[in-house]
Amino acid sequence: METVTTKQSGRVLISGASFAGLTTAIWMQRLGYQVTVVENATGLRKGGTPVDLRNDAMEIFDRMGVLSAVRAKALPPRTTEFAEIDGTPTARMEPEPTAETIVIDDYEIHRHDDVEIHRDDLLAILFAEIEGTVEVIFGDSITELTATAEGVRAAFRNSPDREFTMVLGCDGNHSNVRRLWFGPETDYSHFLHHYTSVTVVDDTFISSWTSRIQNTPGRTLLLNSYANTTDVVFIFRSEQEIPYDYHDIDEQKQIIRAQFTDAGKPFTDLLDQALTADNFYFDKLSQNRLPSWASGRVALVGDAGYCPSPAAGMGGSVAILGATALYDAFRTSGGDIDSAFTAYERSFRPTAERIQTETETFGLPMICPDTAEAITARNAQLLQH
């Protein structure tokens, strides 16, 4: 486990208890800060699809001292296949015994992620590193942030106001901290012209430990099959953003139903089962692009600052990498917060922007080609490799 020889002091408020928030809390505590994590949910946000962790994220877990715990929860490697609408495979990427990378159009494709792990397992591993030593407040959120001579005063929905040396927004794509301190989401959100839903269904429709992608123009079905469950992912193209209530799941389900009712097989075969499962996630595919991730004593980490969109397949890894880049910047800053924030952005922005660019120009067209011609061209590319 990596140790810090020079301890830093002060009180740090972290908004969000997912991968960005928990990783940031671990590192800031080890730097010597008194850390408080506030999370709007009443507990860790359980459920959702497993997380792909590439080699750079695994190196961070080694530094953190939790690598063996992560590897102990690793899922079996999976096959990825692109298939015709009738299920006939057009291209397959078999798992390799060691990590392998192929290059298509100057972009790297990882044939085999180092580890895939259930989201709940990774959250539990990270939370165990701070449980009992970091103050964690569930069921509350920040309502106001005000600059003070010594840092930032935070007001909360349920708790008394408190002052902190700094505030770190690790609260996701629709970040509350970003809205309060940097401005409305519309100022920074870049719409990628697609919407997606994700449902975890207690059933299997394809071979276990397989991912299958099937496309018709403007509509995509992605299945991730595990031992006894399947992630059912619907994606559709939309030229304009669709207004809807972020808290109204029934309305979101109706959007998916309206988009896929006439799509035919295999979409309609799974639609009812996916929309009646007891879990459902819906959102636009978008990226957050800010001119700066820090202002004063407030900074953003993970999706709040540089969401690459779920199409990147790297949301968890990017959050962990960003949180560690912030930690490394503080280690070398001598305790100067302004210098640390500057170094954090200087070191990690090129990586974050590269991932965003590759997602928009390559990753999304690979998963969701929008025309019949694009589907044919994508399949031809894959067959060359």
Side-chain angles (χ1 to χ4, degrees), residues 102-276:
I102 62 173
V103 178
I104 300 178
D105 288 352
D106 296 327
Y107 292 105
E108 292 185 353
I109 297 269
H110 296 262
R111 280 183 177 266
H112 173 50
D113 293 319
D114 193 83
V115 163
E116 186 179 36
I117 182 173
H118 281 302
R119 187 175 184 277
D120 291 359
D121 289 336
L122 183 54
L123 286 175
I125 290 167
L126 296 176
F127 188 73
E129 291 298 302
I130 63 169
E131 190 172 15
T133 58
V134 165
E135 179 185 25
V136 181
I137 304 171
F138 288 112
D140 206 351
S141 63
I142 303 167
T143 58
E144 187 177 2
L145 294 171
T146 307
T148 67
E150 300 300 322
V152 183
R153 174 179 290 274
F156 299 90
R157 187 176 68 239
N158 300 322
S159 305
D161 293 6
R162 294 166 64 179
E163 289 198 16
F164 296 89
T165 309
M166 71 183 102
V167 175
L168 302 175
C170 305
D171 43 358
N173 190 28
H174 304 296
S175 169
N176 183 42
V177 168
R178 187 186 62 227
R179 177 182 60 82
L180 291 171
W181 196 258
F182 294 86
E185 182 174 311
T186 52
D187 289 353
Y188 307 112
S189 179
H190 175 66
F191 180 45
L192 297 180
H193 297 288
H194 289 80
Y195 285 85
T196 186
S197 71
V198 182
T199 312
V200 182
V201 175
D202 291 326
D203 202 348
T204 54
F205 312 104
I206 57 177
S207 300
S208 296
W209 312 112
T210 300
S211 293
R212 174 187 287 177
I213 299 168
Q214 294 168 274
N215 307 96
T216 59
R219 292 189 277 207
T220 296
L221 175 65
L222 168 61
L223 301 177
N224 294 321
S225 185
Y226 300 91
N228 302 300
T229 63
T230 303
D231 303 335
V232 180
V233 182
F234 291 104
I235 308 171
F236 68 90
R237 181 174 177 83
S238 177
E239 292 302 323
Q240 304 298 326
E241 292 196 43
I242 301 172
Y244 67 93
D245 184 346
Y246 290 105
H247 304 290
D248 190 338
I249 292 178
D250 288 338
E251 180 185 9
Q252 297 163 29
K253 289 182 176 181
Q254 286 305 313
I255 292 172
I256 290 293
R257 188 174 294 280
Q259 291 289 333
F260 287 93
T261 294
D262 67 345
K265 295 177 178 293
F267 304 97
T268 51
D269 290 343
L270 300 173
L271 196 57
D272 285 341
Q273 197 167 353
L275 296 184
T276 56

